[in-house]
Structure formats: C-alpha cells, structure tokens
C-alpha cells in the first residue's frame, strides 16, 4: 500500500511566490535603467560595462551551445548585449537580470539558427555556381 502525499492548498489569487534576493547584476541593471531615465547615458554605458564583464563568459557558453559556431556565438552575444542596453527601460526590476538577458540571448540564437537553415536551404552548391560562372563568362562578349 503506497501513501500519496497530502495536496497543498492553492495559493490565493494575486499572491506571489517568494523570490530569492536579486543579484548584484540585477541591482546594477536597475541603476542603469534609472541613469538612462534621467538622461545620463554616458554614466549608464560605463556601469553597463560591469554587467558585460560579469556575463560575457556565461553568454558565450550559452550561445555556443545553441549555434555550435564560435564566430556566430560571439556575434549573437554582442547583439544581445546591444539589444539589452537599448531596451533597458523595459527591464522589470522584480525579475533577475540574468533571466531577462538569457531570454534575449536565446531568442537571438534561435533567430540565427532559423536564418542559417533558410540560407542553407536556398544556397546553391559552390561547384555548381563555379561551373555556371565559367559558362556565363565564356559566352559573354569581350570588352
């Protein structure tokens, strides 16, 4: 005879689950958001460099797992950092910065994978293009 654990009562409507304390990067992102809001973009850029330094390695590792190409991963990470800074005003300070940033990074990686698949599907083999180019060049009039 197995015992089933007692069921928990559902949380009341509108109640939030307890959250862990926010990280240093989350506090820093909130500060950058305030700096941008008051028009101090230069100070915000300087502070943003700290976030980039702390998240860079993790971001490259995640991007490489999705893209399997170091160059594409580096570009995806750079694009994600630019996008995050340009949209910092939409950052919700109650959420961990890492979650928000990672979601933006992963969506960018998935977009790159889709674009790569489209490009590969429509790309002509290089041997065929060389042969076509040679035939085309031979039939073109000399100038």
């Amino acid at each position: 005879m197995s015992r089933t654990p007692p069921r928990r009562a559902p949380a009341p409507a509108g109640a939030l689950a307890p959250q862990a304390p926010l990280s240093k990067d989350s506090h820093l992102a909130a500060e950058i958001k305030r700096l941008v809001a008051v028009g101090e973009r230069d100070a915000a850029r300087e502070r943003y460099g700290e976030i980039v330094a702390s998240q860079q390695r993790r971001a490259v590792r995640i991007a490489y797992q999705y893209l399997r190409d170091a160059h594409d991963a580096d570009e995806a990470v750079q694009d994600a950092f630019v996008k995050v800074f340009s949209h910092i005003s939409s950052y919700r300070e109650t959420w961990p910065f890492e979650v928000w940033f990672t979601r933006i990074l992963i969506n960018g990686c998935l977009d790159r994978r889709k674009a790569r698949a489209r490009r590969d599907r429509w790309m002509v083999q290089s041997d065929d293009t060389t042969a076509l180019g040679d035939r085309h060049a031979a039939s073109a009039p000399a100038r």
Side-chain angles (χ1 to χ4, degrees), residues 55 58-59 62-63 65-66 80-81 84 96-110:
Q55 295 289 321
R58 178 178 162 274
I62 291 169
Q65 286 177 332
Y66 277 86
F81 279 124
V84 164
F97 173 80
E98 295 82 2
V99 172
W100 186 61
F101 172 73
T102 303
R103 192 70 257 162
I104 290 171
L105 174 65
I106 290 172
N107 285 342
C109 289
L110 293 174

Side-chain angles (χ1 to χ4, degrees), residues 50-133:
E50 295 176 34
I51 289 180
V52 171
S54 70
Q55 295 289 321
Q56 182 82 31
R57 287 184 59 190
R58 178 178 162 274
V60 170
R61 193 171 54 246
I62 291 169
Y64 185 79
Q65 286 177 332
Y66 277 86
L67 300 171
R68 295 293 177 200
D69 179 77
H71 179 71
D72 283 349
D74 287 339
E75 283 188 12
V77 168
Q78 184 175 0
D79 289 348
F81 279 124
V82 168
K83 188 174 227 175
V84 164
F85 186 77
S86 64
H87 291 92
I88 195 75
S89 60
S90 66
Y91 169 64
R92 285 187 259 160
E93 297 165 18
T94 56
W95 286 63
F97 173 80
E98 295 82 2
V99 172
W100 186 61
F101 172 73
T102 303
R103 192 70 257 162
I104 290 171
L105 174 65
I106 290 172
N107 285 342
C109 289
L110 293 174
D111 289 345
R112 284 179 179 275
R113 281 175 49 176
K114 283 190 277 187
R116 184 191 304 159
R118 271 193 311 270
R119 188 177 54 244
D120 290 348
R121 186 172 52 241
W122 292 102
M123 199 122 162
V124 178
Q125 294 294 328
S126 62
D127 294 338
D128 294 341
T129 58
T130 305
L132 288 174

